[in-house]
Each structure stands twice: as structure tokens, then as C-alpha cells.
Amino acid sequence: MGSLPARKEIPDQYKWRLEDIYAADELWERDFQQVQKMASEVESYRGKLGQSAITLLGVLQAEERLQELIEKLYVYARMRRDEENSNPVYQALTDRADSLNTSVEAALSFIVPEILAIPTDVLKRFRQEEQALARYHFVLDEILRFAPHTLSAAEEQIIAQAGDVIQAPSNIFKMINNADLTFPSIRDEEGKEVEVTHGRYLQLMECGDRRVRQEAFSALYSSYRKLKNTLAATISNSVKKDVFYTRVRKYPTAMEAALFSDNIPPAVYENLIATVRGNLDTMYRYVALRKKLLGLAELHMYDLYTPMVKDVSWEIPYEEAVALVRKGLAPLGPSYGEIMASGLASGWVDVYENKAKTSGAYSWGPYGVHPYVLMNYQDNLNSVFTLAHELGHAMHTYYSYREQPYVYAHYKIFTAEVASTVNESLLMAYLLNIETDRNKKLYLLNHYLEEFRGTVFRQTMFAEFEKVIHEKVEAGIALTPALLSEIYRQLNVDYYGPGIVIDKDIDLEWARIPHFYSAYYVYKYATGFSAATSISQQILREGEAAVNRYLNFLKMGGSDYPLDLLRTAGVDMTTPQPVQDGLNLFARLLEQMETLTA
């Protein structure tokens, strides 16, 4: 592996083409100035929204244009910075985009309070009088739904102006985690010295040499341990920020505040935790099987990622991964496949890790251009599934952007994780169907069980951690490093059971999870996985009819509430059943693997 290459050393065919957003930074600068001008022009509507339907339409159209352009500016700056976080040019552009976004939010902050101040009968008349307002019916309905939690125009402006300060914990964590934090080097299974990085960590944890796994695990957490007080302060202040918004906007709890935007009842969150906790016996069986197949007297936390099936070396270069993904997603139809293939060939994906590149993977992109995918591709099966996952997001974005106006083009995360996981499920079904090698089939089963462990069990554990720490702060209890580690340790004990050694280092895992800076976010991975399991089975069982339902779901973007969108795709998340169905599949897969390895 050696040292990471510099950005300029990565061949162009493996880089995304951000020039499709702005061909040059000068064009970004031009739009930056334009946004400032447009934000000033919006001020001309202040105090006038109740005067006429035409005026109301005018401000909604102006807001839409402004939001679309500021998104383009912000996405470009952030994605350029993500290429190489140490680049001062794009650090500066991102900071400027952040500040501009805050000033735009402040400029637009009068709109919602003024709309809410329009008498109900007058607003109804406006909507009947002006046909063009039909475009904004769902927007207006959403504004009215938020009425009990919307403040006066002056108060909303104050909150908007505080945006940069409020985002400080998240921004500080990102710079510590992606730019400043470094990890020790270890010796790999061949005795060569390699630097532990975010991108390499999972690959090292999958290594068949237990010494390498243990050293990588210790190396990673040794760096976080040195910063535990700083990182406890950042996460504590992030939670305090959530509680501040909760109280200012008059929500009962931080959970209800976070779920309200998706119109999700708290029972969905509570059902997830309760249902997963009610099925932990299968996780304990999985842990026992892992211990048995690895032939270990003691199973440790650093043994959870290495394949349980021995003597399977499965190196998958990027080009082969692309071919596998295309074949695996063939059930979604030729049109879906052709659009995806075109994107893969024309600069949608940034493939390999380089120095100071943002870790992990994501899909993003501004309206009116096309989606992008950030990868840190390693030549392994996990990266193949990550590529399929992120392309699910990308294709959801593609269809949504193509079919919806800007105001409805952005789907909620609750539904986004369905699209990504449908892709993974279909790819897994394809690979299990074509694989004839017993060990590789076992390896795939191992991978699929790991997906359940990581996405349903682990993300639910994360969700419960978020619930507990928010409740602590709401009760006035300080989140010290010791308390955070104590809470996190107990959850690991509960979720993994008595068959594994809960190493001391894992107590600090809370310090490295970026998603904890987005309140009550991770539960959507578990609910999305469950919904996607149902949809993918429908596609494989029913064919074209189910595909059409699914593609219609993708095309609807954010034009309805997430639970209603999922109902159109044939899934009802208001009951525990989809989660239980997914856990039942986990149990069946586990039984298959237990039988094959008996």
C-alpha cells in the first residue's frame, strides 16, 4: 500500500469532472456575486407577501432561483475541498460559501413568518386565484405544518445569522478528522510498513493476519484517545446545539424535533430499537458462528470485519467492479442501466483515495447538472458494494432532478437509503446466483450478514446512543469523555452479547463517527435497509410491475412525505413488520451459513 498519492498523481479517468458544475473558478465567482445581488432583491418583498397572490408567487419563485444557485456554489466549493482538504483555495471558497449561505438564509428568513401571518381564508383565496401557485402547494402545506415551531421574522433572522456559529462543532470535527488527525504506521502481513488511514482502516481490519488487525485497531484508537477531551467537547456542543433548537422551536424532545421534518412519528424510531433488541439472540448466534469459523479461543472487536471463510482471496479491481454492478442491477431495466453506464463513463465518480481527500463515500451534486459519487475505492468486495450503494443514491438524484422542479427535487434521507440499499440487495442476489465456488458463496453470505450487522444492528445501536446522549443533555447532565465511553461500552455489551471481548479501545468509537453530528440521522440506514429488502424482493419476484413502481418512487423525489412515498413502493414503515422481515431474512441467511459450515 505505501504512502498515499498526491491528488495530481491520480489519473484523470478516475477523477470526477467538477468542471460540469463550473468550468473555472472565475465562473463560480461570478455566480457568487449574482447570489449577493439576488439576495438583496428578495428584500423588496419584505412586508408585502399578504398583498396579493402575484406577490406571493413572486417571492416563492425568487426564493427557488436563489436556493438553486447557492446550492450550486456550495456543492462545488465543498466537493473541490473534499478532493484535498489541505488545499487553502477551496478551504477559502467553502468558508465563503458557508458564510454566503448563512446570509442568504437570513435574507429569506422573513418569508415563512410572513406567509404564516396571512389569514387562512386569504391564503386559500390566493392559491385558488393564481394557477402558477399550484407548483408550491406542498411547500405551502409544509410551512403551515411547521407553524407551531416557527418564530417571528425577527427571531428567525437571528437564528439564521447564527448559522456559522451553530455549525462550529461539526466543522471543527471534520477538520480534525479529515485534515489534522494522523495515525501511526504498522507492519502489514508481509512485514511492510504502511500508514493507517481512514480509507485503509477497513481493509486492514479485513486482513486475515490477526496481528495486523489488532495493531491497526490499536493504532487508530490511540490517535483518538489523545484527543478524547477535544472530541468529547465537540460532540457535547453538537448535542447542546440540537437541544437549543428543540427548546427555541418548542418541540417536546430533540428526537421529535429531528423527526418532525420528515413527518415521522417517534414510534417508528422506538419500534426500530425495540424490534432489533427483541432479535439480539440472532446477533449472539452470529458472534458464536464467527468465533467458531475463525477458530479463536476469544473473539475480539477487531475480529468482527475479517471474513469468516478462510482461503478466499477476492481482489476486485475497479473496472471489474463496474462490470459486476452493471450486471447485478440489470433487473432494474435497460434504461436504468444505460443512464448509469453513461454516468460512470463521463466523470460522475471520484474513485481512489489521495492525500487529504475526505474519507468514506457519498453521492452529491447540484440541481441542473448531474449527480457525483465520492469513493475511496479499495480492490475488495466491500468497495464493490459501496459503489453500488452510492450509485443508488446517484440514480435516485438523477431521476428526481430530471422529473421534479427544484423545490421537490431533493428527497429525504429516510427514503434515500432505500435506493442505495435496493442496489446492494440486487447485486448480492446476482452474485449469490452466479457463484459456484462454495467458499466464495460462503464469503458472500458472510458479507450479506455483515451488511445486516453493520446497517441494521450497528446503526440501531448508534441510534440508541444518540437517543441516550440527547436525553442526558436534556436532563442537564454533562457529556464527559468518561460518560460517553461508559454509555457506548454498555451498548456494545448489550448488542454483541457475552460471546465477544469488548475491548477497551471500542469505548472511544463514538469519537470518530461523523454521523453523530447530524442528530437522529443513522436510524434511517436501518429503516431504509429494511424497506429496501422488501422492495428488492418484489423486483426479483414480480419483474416489470415492481420495477415500474420503484422507478416511479425514485422520480417522485421529495414531492410527498417519506412514509407516503414508501407506501407507493409497497412498504409501510409505520409498523414494526418491515424491520422484523429484514431480521427474519438475517436469521435465514445465518441458518444457511451455519448449515454449510456444520
Side-chain angles (χ1 to χ4, degrees), residues 17 42 50 92 109 118 123 132 148 154 182 229 253 328 350 352 363 373 393 416 428 443 466 471 512 555 584 594:
R17 201 167 66 200
V42 170
S109 63
I118 300 172
L123 184 58
T182 58
N229 293 302
T253 65
D350 202 78
Y352 295 116
S363 176
V373 169
H393 288 309
M428 177 57 75
Y443 190 89
E466 283 194 277
E471 288 171 350
R512 73 180 190 91
K555 292 171 184 177
N584 291 343
E594 288 169 335

Side-chain angles (χ1 to χ4, degrees), residues 468-534:
V468 172
I469 63 175
H470 280 82
E471 288 171 350
K472 294 289 187 189
V473 171
E474 286 170 328
I477 298 170
L479 295 179
T480 64
L483 179 59
L484 287 163
S485 294
E486 178 189 327
I487 295 166
Y488 201 82
R489 180 176 187 80
Q490 187 57 52
L491 286 169
N492 273 279
V493 169
D494 291 349
Y495 276 73
Y496 287 103
I500 187 169
V501 176
I502 307 298
D503 300 278
K504 186 67 177 173
D505 279 339
I506 205 66
D507 299 2
L508 279 170
E509 190 174 37
W510 57 263
R512 73 180 190 91
I513 306 299
H515 286 135
F516 288 159
Y517 292 84
S518 301
Y520 293 98
Y521 176 99
V522 295
Y523 86 101
K524 301 171 192 179
Y525 288 114
T527 54
F529 192 97
S530 301
T533 299
S534 174

Side-chain angles (χ1 to χ4, degrees), residues 377-409:
Y377 189 86
Q378 308 289 331
D379 292 349
N380 56 33
L381 190 66
N382 188 70
S383 281
V384 180
F385 278 95
T386 300
L387 179 63
H389 180 104
E390 298 304 334
L391 285 170
H393 288 309
M395 291 299 291
H396 196 174
T397 297
Y398 175 87
Y399 280 113
S400 182
Y401 282 8
R402 191 184 75 180
E403 301 293 331
Q404 297 293 329
Y406 178 81
V407 284
Y408 304 129

Side-chain angles (χ1 to χ4, degrees), residues 58-109:
V59 78
L60 291 173
Q61 290 174 332
E63 179 186 27
E64 184 176 2
R65 290 192 297 268
L66 187 51
Q67 295 281 22
E68 182 177 341
L69 195 52
I70 186 64
E71 175 188 283
K72 187 178 179 185
L73 288 166
Y74 184 75
V75 171
Y76 177 81
R78 272 290 308 276
M79 290 175 71
R80 279 293 189 201
R81 192 187 76 180
D82 285 345
E83 293 176 339
E84 196 172 12
N85 280 277
S86 58
N87 187 322
V89 173
Y90 296 113
Q91 286 179 2
L93 252 62
T94 301
D95 287 345
R96 289 176 63 202
D98 268 328
S99 297
L100 182 63
N101 191 50
T102 298
S103 66
V104 166
E105 286 182 11
L108 298 174
S109 63

